[in-house]
């Protein structure tokens, strides 16, 4: 197999209509009789400049999908392509560099460094990449996210909504091709959750990013352009222009699923 070398200064390969493409992705945890197949030949494509929500019962494979799509876990077989770069051909160093340079991640747990200030948390990935922080871009981003008055604060002094905004700023500063969000509103109250969803929506509509968000909340999913529904390791349905009621109704028909989430 010919290795696709990834370099920080390498431009994306010829742009396709889709930023992320998964083909026949299989992921199994464990071995022998205890083996659990979490993704069973999943094929999906996420369009550029789009916001897609991924929903399904617990154990359906949605979080594993996000981890494989974002290069946080390797599938057992199949392929994952981001901006024309095949992730399964990359070694660990190349994969780490691609995640740092091309991808942004927002998690329910925020994943901020408690000893660093807001400014330091936001700029950390760019600085680790050895790149210069664009001071004007940083200032504009923090102002737009309502964080300009908290630059020297540490995470413990911030509300949950503010901490999630810091994680969004961190994800956006490197101008990623894709932002992967795993239950980004799960630990927030309704007001803070709505603000986070607005920011992710703006990342698509204003900044031109692609957002893929795992959520259990039909109201959160209704902010997306489309919802992919998962059950038992398969993508079983796709809903365009979702509403909260339509999403809730479709979720009610999927039933419960066990296994690894």
């Amino acid at each position: 197999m010919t290795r696709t070398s990834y370099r920080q200064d390498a431009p994306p390969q010829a742009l396709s209509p889709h930023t992320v493409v998964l083909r026949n992705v299989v992921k199994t945890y464990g071995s022998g009789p205890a083996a659990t197949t979490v993704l069973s030949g999943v094929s999906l494509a996420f369009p550029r400049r789009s916001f897609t929500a991924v929903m399904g019962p617990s154990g359906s494979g949605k979080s594993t999908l996000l981890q494989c799509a974002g290069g946080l876990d390797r599938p057992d077989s199949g392929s994952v392509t981001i901006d024309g770069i095949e992730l399964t051909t990359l070694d660990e160093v190349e994969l780490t560099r691609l995640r740092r340079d091309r991808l942004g991640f927002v998690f329910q747990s925020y994943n901020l460094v408690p000893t660093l200030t807001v400014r330091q948390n936001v700029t950390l990935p760019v600085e680790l990449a050895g790149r210069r922080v664009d001071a004007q871009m940083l200032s504009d981003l923090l102002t737009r996210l309502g964080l300009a008055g908290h630059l020297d604060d540490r995470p413990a002094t911030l509300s949950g909504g503010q901490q999630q905004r810091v994680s969004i700023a961190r994800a956006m500063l490197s101008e990623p091709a894709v932002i992967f969000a795993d239950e980004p509103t799960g630990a927030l109250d309704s007001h803070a959750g709505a603000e986070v969803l607005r920011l992710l929506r703006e990342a698509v509509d204003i900044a031109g990013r692609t957002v893929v968000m795992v959520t259990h909340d039909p109201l959160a999913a209704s902010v997306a352009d489309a919802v992919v529904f998962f059950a038992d390791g398969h993508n079983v349905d796709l809903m365009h222009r979702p509403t909260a009621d339509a999403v809730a109704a479709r979720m009610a028909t999927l039933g419960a699923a066990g296994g690894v989430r």
Side-chain angles (χ1 to χ4, degrees):
M1 179 183 295
T2 301
R3 177 176 294 281
T4 302
S5 179
Y6 172 71
R7 305 191 321 275
Q8 178 177 324
D9 59 347
Q13 297 181 21
L15 295 181
S16 78
H18 301 96
T19 310
V20 185
V21 179
L22 297 90
R23 295 184 180 89
N24 299 315
V25 170
V26 175
K27 182 64 181 179
T28 299
Y29 292 104
S31 59
T36 301
T37 298
V38 187
L39 299 178
S40 304
V42 172
S43 294
L44 274 173
F46 297 98
R48 291 187 183 281
R49 300 177 64 101
S50 70
F51 189 158
T52 305
V54 181
M55 300 193 73
S58 179
S60 59
K62 55 188 184 296
S63 288
T64 301
L65 168 79
L66 186 143
Q67 290 162 10
C68 289
L72 299 173
D73 202 354
R74 289 185 182 271
D76 299 322
S77 62
S79 67
V80 179
T81 303
I82 294 179
D83 265 350
I85 299 169
E86 172 51 62
L87 270 60
T88 57
T89 67
L90 304 182
D91 62 27
E92 289 304 320
V93 172
E94 293 169 327
L95 189 57
T96 298
R97 188 178 300 130
L98 181 138
R99 287 197 302 261
R100 185 186 64 202
D101 297 339
R102 297 268 180 91
L103 309 181
F105 296 93
V106 180
F107 299 100
Q108 180 176 341
S109 58
Y110 318 136
N111 287 359
L112 303 178
V113 181
T115 57
L116 299 183
T117 65
V118 166
R119 183 199 302 270
Q120 292 167 335
N121 267 286
V122 171
T123 61
L124 183 61
V126 175
E127 292 174 341
L128 288 176
R131 306 204 308 271
R132 184 181 65 85
V133 174
D134 185 320
Q136 187 60 55
M137 179 185 297
L138 175 63
S139 176
D140 291 346
L141 180 60
L142 293 175
T143 297
R144 184 156 61 88
L145 297 182
L147 296 169
H150 299 280
L151 297 182
D152 298 320
D153 294 345
R154 286 180 167 76
T157 68
L158 304 176
S159 69
Q162 288 170 327
Q163 290 186 64
Q164 193 62 292
R165 278 184 272 156
V166 174
S167 72
I168 291 173
R170 180 182 58 193
M172 292 180 64
L173 185 63
S174 60
E175 300 185 279
V178 192
I179 296 174
F180 292 102
D182 194 357
E183 300 282 7
T185 64
L188 304 178
D189 62 36
S190 59
H191 176 76
E195 176 68 8
V196 165
L197 292 170
R198 181 184 68 81
L199 295 172
L200 291 174
R201 183 73 253 179
E202 288 183 358
V204 176
D205 298 337
I206 297 176
R209 308 299 168 212
T210 300
V211 172
V212 180
M213 177 183 71
V214 167
T215 183
H216 68 281
D217 182 1
L219 189 60
S222 70
V223 177
D225 300 308
V227 180
V228 174
F229 294 93
F230 261 72
D232 298 321
H234 300 276
N235 46 308
V236 296
D237 200 1
L238 174 65
M239 180 184 295
H240 293 284
R241 295 182 295 278
T243 66
D245 288 345
V247 170
R250 184 64 182 94
M251 282 291 294
T253 69
L254 294 180
V260 181
R261 184 168 177 269

